[in-house]
């Protein structure tokens, strides 16, 4: 299977790239030309196709979603109610987008449509991830109007979590339990659920969807960020008064640490909000968060799981945070008006894709049925440490498409 692309610049071997890790970041930040792709596109595409064919064979025709791939050849399967359930279908849609091979449409549809019950599910706030990554990408690529009612209903369900007194969407917990809950939690990840609402506001001419998204984004700016533009993971509000009870970083090293994946969500989330609203404060927020993120990257660019882990450099990397940030940086590079910043964001994004496409991060061993290794899920609970997680695959695929100019936001979901 060949993809005919014109890649600017020469193609360097993966080994030569990995030998330059100490100076790699400096090279990306100081050069005045666009960074070049350093991997062979056809080889990477063949690898992706091979891995996900294995994954599909393992998953079969059921309704349990692949979440992790392990060295023993097994895959951890989770129910559709798991917050990661939409990433698997989304990755399949991206493989179709990358290859143009229509044989990927059927499995992408299968793993999308199994999520139909989520449209009315009130047990989790992440239904934006779950449905927009699956149904949203399916609609973007096929313009299948049968997907629209699911997207609209999911938006309605998500909006039930909005507390107008606080001005944010509730994170965690089943809505049926909120009567007994004293506090209203909002996590930084929730910025990523807003894309569904922004799409639905325009598509279904329901401005209250975007009104809620804007209020959530604005109040997240007010409440979640430290003066240095690092972010807390969780803000806990008094449900009745709206006052902040406490701030913490639930999945980071400690409450005052800079958790890498949370920082990546902010880059992507506020770049998306600027794209949808053209409100300059969102562009500024994304840019400041990106600058903070970039300033803490190691020489080979893949972030440590938490930038304040005292064990650095002898601690874990988080490939998923690198992939998420790369997606946001590609978008941000097109949005900022400063040409120097634009080039910087672009080069870091391409550098991240190059590094993730190397032998150090690709799941090249035959027993894996996935793409990307070395992510960290929940360090505090010691779960999913230094392993494959399906959202790393998803955001790697998105970043890869953007690096190859195959993912066109201008025509998305029109």
């Amino acid at each position: 299977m060949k993809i005919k692309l014109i890649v600017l610049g020469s193609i360097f071997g993966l080994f030569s790239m990995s030998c330059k890790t100490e100076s790699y970041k400096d090279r990306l930040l100081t050069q005045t030309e666009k960074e070049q792709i350093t991997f062979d596109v056809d080889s990477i595409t063949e690898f992706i196709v091979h891995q996900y064919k294995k994954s599909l064979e393992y998953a079969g025709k059921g309704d349990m979603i692949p979440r992790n791939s392990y060295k023993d050849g097994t895959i951890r399967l989770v129910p559709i109610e798991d917050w990661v359930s939409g990433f698997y279908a989304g990755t399949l849609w991206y493989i179709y987008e990358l290859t143009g091979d229509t044989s990927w449409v059927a499995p992408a549809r299968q793993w999308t449509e199994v999520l139909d019950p989520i449209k009315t599910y009130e047990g989790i706030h992440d239904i934006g991830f779950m449905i927009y990554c699956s149904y949203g990408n399916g609609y973007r690529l096929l313009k299948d109007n049968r997907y629209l009612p699911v997207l609209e209903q999911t938006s309605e369900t998500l909006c039930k979590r909005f507390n107008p007194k606080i001005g944010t969407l509730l994170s965690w917990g089943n809505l049926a339990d909120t009567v007994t809950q004293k506090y209203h939690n909002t996590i930084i990840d929730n910025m990523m659920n807003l894309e569904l609402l922004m799409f639905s506001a325009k598509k279904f001419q329901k401005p209250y969807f975007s009104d809620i998204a804007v209020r959530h984004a604005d109040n997240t700016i007010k409440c979640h960020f430290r003066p240095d533009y690092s972010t807390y993971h969780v803000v806990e509000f008094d449900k009745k008064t709206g006052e902040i009870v406490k701030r913490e970083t639930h999945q980071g090293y400690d409450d005052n640490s800079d958790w890498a994946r949370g920082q990546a969500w902010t880059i992507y989330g506020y770049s998306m909000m600027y794209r949808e609203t053209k409100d300059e404060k969102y562009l500024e927020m994304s840019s400041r968060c990106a600058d903070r993120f970039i300033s803490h990257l190691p020489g080979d660019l893949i972030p440590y799981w938490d930038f304040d882990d005292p064990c650095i450099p002898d601690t874990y990397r988080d490939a998923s945070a690198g992939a998420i940030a790369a997606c946001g940086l590609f978008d941000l590079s097109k949005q900022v008006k400063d040409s120097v910043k634009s080039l910087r964001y672009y080069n870091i994004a391409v550098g991240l894709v190059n590094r993730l496409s190397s032998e150090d991060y690709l799941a090249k061993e035959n027993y894996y049925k996935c793409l990307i290794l070395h992510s960290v899920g929940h360090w505090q609970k010691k779960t999913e440490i230094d392993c494959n997680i399906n959202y790393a695959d998803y955001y790697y695929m998105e970043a890869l498409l953007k690096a190859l100019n195959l993912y066109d936001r201008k025509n998305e979901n029109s």
Side-chain angles (χ1 to χ4, degrees):
M1 182 179 302
K2 298 291 182 182
I3 296 186
K4 299 184 182 299
L5 293 168
I6 299 175
V7 179
L8 295 178
S10 59
I11 303 296
F12 299 101
L14 292 173
F15 178 76
S16 64
M17 178 184 139
S18 64
C19 289
K20 299 179 180 179
T21 55
E22 291 307 310
S23 62
Y24 192 42
K25 179 182 173 185
D26 290 338
R27 176 168 60 82
L28 291 179
L29 294 180
T30 58
Q31 68 184 45
T32 58
E33 296 181 353
K34 282 189 173 183
E35 178 66 8
Q36 301 164 345
I37 289 170
T38 59
F39 54 85
D40 182 76
V41 177
D42 288 332
S43 295
I44 289 293
T45 302
E46 289 169 6
F47 165 74
I48 291 167
V49 167
H50 178 260
Q51 293 299 95
Y52 265 73
K53 282 184 176 179
K54 291 195 298 181
S55 177
L56 286 169
E57 289 174 4
Y58 187 98
K61 299 290 184 181
D63 59 358
M64 296 288 284
I65 312 293
R67 175 167 175 146
N68 311 99
S69 179
Y70 297 120
K71 280 188 175 182
D72 64 3
T74 64
I75 292 178
R76 177 190 173 198
L77 302 174
V78 293
I80 64 170
E81 293 83 8
D82 192 291
W83 81 274
V84 305
S85 63
F87 295 120
Y88 190 71
T91 300
L92 297 174
W93 286 119
Y94 283 157
I95 295 173
Y96 165 56
E97 189 167 14
L98 174 66
T99 64
D101 182 350
T102 56
S103 70
W104 288 95
V105 172
R109 279 192 181 277
Q110 174 198 335
W111 290 102
T112 293
E113 293 166 13
V114 75
L115 300 174
D116 177 81
I118 298 301
K119 66 180 182 291
T120 56
Y121 181 54
E122 297 183 356
I124 194 170
H125 66 277
D126 282 315
I127 54 177
F129 276 123
M130 298 154 83
I131 294 301
Y132 199 72
C133 295
S134 53
Y135 278 88
N137 275 310
Y139 179 74
R140 179 174 65 87
L141 293 171
L142 300 185
K143 295 298 182 287
D144 187 339
N145 288 333
R146 291 175 297 175
Y147 285 1
L148 291 176
V150 176
L151 291 160
E152 184 176 14
Q153 179 57 62
T154 306
S155 299
E156 297 282 6
T157 303
L158 179 58
C159 286
K160 292 180 181 180
R161 306 184 77 85
F162 184 71
N163 184 320
K165 190 172 190 67
I166 296 166
T168 66
L169 295 157
L170 172 70
S171 298
W172 299 331
N174 194 307
L175 284 180
D177 300 329
T178 56
V179 175
T180 60
Q181 292 173 354
K182 184 177 180 181
Y183 301 119
H184 174 103
N185 296 309
T186 298
I187 65 174
I188 197 63
D189 317 41
N190 223 336
M191 283 298 303
M192 300 295 285
N193 290 293
L194 304 184
E195 189 167 15
L196 170 65
L197 297 183
M198 298 305 294
F199 162 78
S200 293
K202 290 189 293 187
K203 193 67 182 179
F204 308 115
Q205 298 183 337
K206 292 184 174 181
Y208 63 88
F209 287 150
S210 59
D211 291 345
I212 286 174
V214 165
R215 284 199 63 192
H216 181 100
D218 289 352
N219 282 297
T220 298
I221 290 175
K222 292 176 184 177
C223 300
H224 270 75
F225 290 91
R226 307 180 184 100
D228 61 5
Y229 292 94
S230 62
T231 178
Y232 291 97
H233 182 200
V234 191
V235 176
E236 202 169 84
F237 300 89
D238 185 288
K239 189 171 64 173
K240 294 181 179 179
T241 68
E243 296 296 317
I244 293 175
V245 177
K246 65 178 178 179
R247 296 179 174 94
E248 55 189 329
T249 303
H250 184 63
Q251 288 177 249
Y253 181 80
D254 62 36
D255 286 346
N256 292 308
S257 68
D258 190 359
W259 176 49
R261 194 163 79 242
Q263 198 71 17
W265 293 138
T266 66
I267 299 168
Y268 194 124
Y270 281 105
S271 174
M272 178 278 297
M273 286 300 294
Y274 175 71
R275 185 188 77 225
E276 296 298 325
T277 66
K278 297 299 183 272
D279 189 326
E280 291 290 332
K281 70 172 175 286
Y282 298 141
L283 180 61
E284 179 182 3
M285 199 67 198
S286 180
S287 181
R288 289 184 180 275
C289 292
D291 292 344
R292 166 82 187 184
F293 187 91
I294 291 169
S295 72
H296 284 71
L297 292 178
D300 67 353
L301 297 182
I302 304 303
Y304 294 104
W305 76 277
D306 189 301
F307 293 125
D308 293 315
D309 185 338
C311 293
I312 290 173
D314 299 318
T315 191
Y316 303 106
R317 304 300 183 97
D318 187 356
S320 73
I324 295 160
C327 295
L329 288 167
F330 275 123
D331 292 346
L332 192 57
S333 72
K334 297 177 182 179
Q335 295 167 338
V336 294
K337 298 160 184 67
D338 184 320
S339 59
V340 175
K341 271 197 167 186
S342 173
L343 182 62
R344 183 189 193 206
Y345 296 151
Y346 178 86
N347 284 345
I348 293 293
V350 172
L352 283 163
V353 176
N354 283 337
R355 193 73 181 103
L356 291 169
S357 301
S358 74
E359 299 286 341
D360 291 336
Y361 288 91
L362 292 181
K364 285 296 186 79
E365 293 91 344
N366 190 50
Y367 35 74
Y368 285 115
K369 302 174 179 68
C370 61
L371 304 181
I372 300 295
L373 302 179
H374 308 307
S375 292
V376 174
H378 200 314
W379 185 84
Q380 292 287 354
K381 290 186 176 180
K382 299 296 184 281
T383 59
E384 296 182 319
I385 306 298
D386 193 30
C387 68
N388 162 258
I389 312 175
N390 69 1
Y391 50 79
D393 285 8
Y394 175 86
Y395 287 107
Y396 168 72
M397 284 296 304
E398 182 175 322
L400 178 65
L401 288 166
K402 289 177 177 179
L404 300 176
N405 293 314
L406 294 177
Y407 189 106
D408 187 357
R409 284 283 190 183
K410 291 183 295 184
N411 298 317
E412 180 183 347
N413 285 327
S414 59

